[in-house]
């Protein structure tokens, strides 16, 4: 990896992560690092180690084409996956006091039996993906309003998901985020 590019974008990514802590649903510091993949559509991933991995090539490309908020959108998406994984871990540690055991079990099942994007309808039907896309889109809409290049995937748009977006935004307003 090009250390000059890493040094240039590291503080930008850290700033994006830090500026959105209030939306995450947990206070723990987000550990993250860059990785390099030629596929710029593969922006990032949150693994079971609760760490965020961001494709430096995607970051460079987004800034090059003048769409830097794409990176924030996908960071929010992946951090929602960290939230979901943390929820599963808390459930496994204390099943009695879990706020929503059914949801924790569903998250766990979907992480263990993950359906990749090549099976489009099944991929977006996973609670973990449906929720992460709607969460990240809602945060971006709440913070910035409509951004021409930040869009939900067409499949999700076709489902008529406005009620979920409005619900997230209502939560953000209620919490004065």
């Amino acid at each position: 990896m090009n250390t000059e590019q890493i040094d240039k974008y590291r503080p930008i990514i850290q700033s994006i992560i830090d500026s959105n802590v209030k939306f995450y649903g947990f206070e723990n510091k987000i550990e993250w690092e860059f990785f390099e993949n030629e596929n710029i559509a593969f922006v990032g991933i949150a693994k079971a180690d609760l760490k965020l991995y961001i494709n430096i090539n995607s970051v460079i490309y987004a800034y090059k084409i003048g769409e830097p908020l794409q990176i924030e959108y996908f960071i929010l998406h992946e951090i929602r996956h960290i939230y979901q994984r943390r929820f599963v871990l808390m459930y496994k540690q204390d099943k009695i006091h879990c706020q929503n055991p059914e949801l924790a079990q569903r998250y766990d099942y979907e992480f263990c039996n993950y359906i990749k994007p090549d099976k489009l309808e099944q991929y977006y039907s996973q609670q973990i993906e449906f929720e992460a896309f709607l969460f990240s889109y809602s945060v971006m809409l709440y913070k910035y309003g409509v951004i021409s290049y930040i869009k939900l995937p067409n499949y999700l748009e076709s489902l008529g998901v406005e009620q979920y977006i409005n619900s997230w935004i209502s939560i953000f307003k209620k919490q004065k985020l």
Side-chain angles (χ1 to χ4, degrees), residues 39-68:
N39 180 0
I40 58 168
F42 183 38
V43 178
I45 188 168
K47 295 185 179 179
D49 63 1
L50 304 178
K51 194 171 183 179
L52 174 63
Y53 298 86
I54 300 169
N55 185 355
I56 186 66
N57 292 327
S58 302
V59 174
I60 293 166
Y61 182 75
Y63 278 85
K64 180 181 174 184
I65 65 168
E67 296 184 0

Side-chain angles (χ1 to χ4, degrees), residues 45 77-78 81 84-85 107-119 122-124 126 128-129 133:
I45 188 168
H77 177 102
E78 294 305 327
H81 289 319
Q84 294 162 339
R85 288 182 182 279
Y107 286 167
D108 191 33
Y109 176 82
E110 290 179 359
F111 281 123
C112 293
N113 300 281
Y114 189 73
I115 300 167
K116 294 182 178 181
D118 56 342
K119 296 180 179 177
Q122 294 156 314
Y123 170 75
Y124 289 120
Q126 295 174 108
I128 56 175
E129 289 302 339
F133 274 107

Side-chain angles (χ1 to χ4, degrees), residues 9-10 23 32 35 45 62 65 81-82 119 122-123 128 137 153 161 171 173-174 176:
Y9 289 106
R10 183 176 304 286
F23 295 102
W32 69 277
F35 72 95
I45 188 168
I65 65 168
H81 289 319
I82 293 172
K119 296 180 179 177
Q122 294 156 314
Y123 170 75
I128 56 175
Y137 182 80
V161 293
I171 291 168
K173 285 179 180 176
K174 207 177 283 182
K176 297 181 175 142

Side-chain angles (χ1 to χ4, degrees), residues 50-156:
L50 304 178
K51 194 171 183 179
L52 174 63
Y53 298 86
I54 300 169
N55 185 355
I56 186 66
N57 292 327
S58 302
V59 174
I60 293 166
Y61 182 75
Y63 278 85
K64 180 181 174 184
I65 65 168
E67 296 184 0
L69 293 176
Q70 286 283 6
I71 301 306
E72 183 170 359
Y73 177 51
F74 281 99
I75 286 173
L76 287 162
H77 177 102
E78 294 305 327
I79 289 176
R80 188 63 188 182
H81 289 319
I82 293 172
Y83 168 88
Q84 294 162 339
R85 288 182 182 279
R86 289 174 47 78
F87 194 79
V88 170
L89 288 173
M90 288 188 297
Y91 165 72
K92 287 180 175 182
Q93 291 172 356
D94 186 2
K95 293 179 181 176
I96 294 170
H97 294 100
C98 180
Q99 299 168 289
N100 192 335
E102 295 82 20
L103 185 60
Q105 290 167 358
R106 183 165 181 183
Y107 286 167
D108 191 33
Y109 176 82
E110 290 179 359
F111 281 123
C112 293
N113 300 281
Y114 189 73
I115 300 167
K116 294 182 178 181
D118 56 342
K119 296 180 179 177
L120 214 56
E121 187 174 330
Q122 294 156 314
Y123 170 75
Y124 289 120
S125 296
Q126 295 174 108
Q127 178 67 32
I128 56 175
E129 289 302 339
F130 182 84
E131 183 181 301
F133 274 107
L134 291 173
F135 169 78
S136 58
Y137 182 80
S138 298
V139 172
M140 296 299 287
L141 188 61
Y142 180 72
K143 286 179 69 177
Y144 303 109
V146 175
I147 302 162
S148 62
Y149 62 86
I150 301 291
K151 298 183 184 322
L152 282 173
N154 290 335
Y155 180 78
L156 291 178

